[in-house]
Amino acid sequence: MEAKFTEGKVQLPTVRNGHGVVHDINENMVTTLQGPGPSRPRPRHHYSYAIFSTAGFSRNAQEYALAHQISLVDLSMPDFADLRELVRSVARDVHGALAALPAGEVPRPYRVRRHLRRLLLALVDEYMEYAPDADAHPLPESVTEPLGRLAEVLSSRSTLGLVLAFPSAPFVLGLASEDLYAFVDYARAHPTHDINLGRVQDGNHSVWRVRPAADPGAYAMTFSLPKQVESWIRAQEEAVNERARSVKRRLLSTMTVYWLDGDHILTFQLRYAPVQLHQ
């Protein structure tokens, strides 16, 4: 995975680089050395690549990604505004704190990243004890405080809900929710359930809304499709509804969501249930 928080859209070179990285990984068989004898092959996995962007992606980047099955997750939609503002404010505070330090006391960027990774890893695994910075000169509090604030807000996993869903398509979807645990509670009780899908226009964005078919009020999540798919849907005004239905049937018929619960991974299956019209 790769994440970009930039003013402009992510361009083709970034996506092409991601394809090169994952291609190299998937093409190489890694072995484990066991003494002087032959090497023992390790299990081989097929890796996929996803790029998150707060400003969207250029047309060339989208076309290349779809051709090479690289997932582009667009976080520019309004549903992710709170998440973008949180990251923006924390980054601003960290940069301000670093700029205020004497030249000889400014930590290297890798130390700041390492500190944040430790905080985030502790969130992922509640049984893993957070290890403070082991360097002889720990990071100043002015730097660690905003990073801790970021981790604390993310730890709630409710007000800034982001769910990764894997549909029957060559891309990953980022689903936004104002109440993430409403979805989790429902999915725990109904690990496999039917959903309704609706496509609505939200400003300049075409947003898709997910609701459980049996109880539409239980939860609601929204997502946006890759722009190239949306462009195809809108290409012919008289065919928009039919093309949207085709996307539902062919690409969004099932969506798999993985939820980390302590040391267990829960799997939820969301199945598109077309509304039956009765005469």
Side-chain angles (χ1 to χ4, degrees):
M1 286 187 179
E2 185 173 354
K4 298 293 184 183
F5 196 124
T6 58
E7 294 295 332
K9 296 180 178 181
V10 170
Q11 300 296 318
L12 177 59
T14 299
V15 182
R16 183 182 287 125
N17 179 71
H19 173 258
V21 170
V22 76
H23 178 76
D24 288 345
I25 294 175
N26 286 327
E27 285 297 312
N28 287 285
M29 173 69 79
V30 181
T31 59
T32 301
L33 296 177
Q34 297 290 335
S39 300
R40 176 175 61 86
R42 293 173 55 186
R44 185 171 185 174
H45 305 280
H46 179 80
Y47 293 90
S48 299
Y49 205 87
I51 303 176
F52 295 72
S53 170
T54 59
F57 303 86
S58 70
R59 182 183 181 88
N60 289 340
Q62 295 172 50
E63 292 177 346
Y64 187 91
L66 283 175
H68 295 279
Q69 299 191 16
I70 295 177
S71 296
L72 304 182
V73 182
D74 189 350
L75 301 181
S76 65
M77 57 187 287
D79 305 67
F80 296 112
D82 290 343
L83 179 60
R84 294 195 304 270
E85 182 53 36
L86 171 65
V87 176
R88 180 182 290 109
S89 64
V90 169
R92 183 174 56 243
D93 292 347
V94 170
H95 278 279
L98 293 175
L101 293 173
E105 298 180 16
V106 178
R108 300 291 294 273
Y110 81 88
R111 291 184 56 206
V112 179
R113 289 195 297 266
R114 183 173 60 189
H115 181 86
L116 180 57
R117 286 195 186 102
R118 287 171 174 168
L119 290 173
L120 297 179
L121 285 173
L123 296 181
V124 173
D125 187 351
E126 61 181 321
Y127 300 104
M128 185 185 76
E129 183 178 354
Y130 168 70
D133 196 332
D135 292 343
H137 303 287
L139 295 175
E141 185 178 354
S142 59
V143 175
T144 60
E145 190 279 328
L147 297 177
R149 186 171 75 249
L150 172 64
E152 181 179 359
V153 175
L154 293 178
S155 67
S156 67
R157 303 172 76 176
S158 56
T159 57
L160 295 174
L162 171 61
V163 174
L164 294 183
F166 299 82
S168 306
F171 48 75
V172 176
L173 296 175
L175 277 61
S177 173
E178 293 183 356
D179 187 354
L180 181 57
Y181 278 104
F183 162 73
V184 175
D185 291 343
Y186 186 90
R188 282 178 180 273
H190 310 86
T192 298
H193 62 272
D194 293 340
I195 59 172
N196 294 330
L197 286 173
R199 180 175 175 271
V200 296
Q201 195 70 22
D202 187 359
N204 295 325
H205 295 263
S206 295
V207 178
W208 294 72
R209 183 169 290 113
V210 180
R211 295 182 186 276
D215 185 4
Y219 71 80
M221 295 193 292
T222 56
F223 64 90
S224 61
L225 287 176
K227 294 292 179 60
Q228 290 301 92
V229 177
E230 281 292 344
S231 296
W232 175 78
I233 293 175
R234 298 194 303 265
Q236 296 181 6
E237 185 175 351
E238 66 276 9
V240 167
N241 291 336
E242 179 55 37
R243 290 188 173 191
R245 285 192 291 268
S246 175
V247 167
K248 293 178 186 180
R249 292 192 302 266
R250 295 174 55 246
L251 301 182
L252 306 177
S253 58
T254 60
M255 289 187 280
T256 303
V257 175
Y258 301 97
W259 181 259
L260 187 62
D261 182 24
D263 56 350
H264 299 286
I265 297 179
L266 305 180
T267 303
F268 307 135
Q269 289 282 345
L270 283 58
R271 304 179 305 192
Y272 167 56
V275 177
Q276 299 295 327
L277 299 178
H278 301 282
Q279 297 183 354

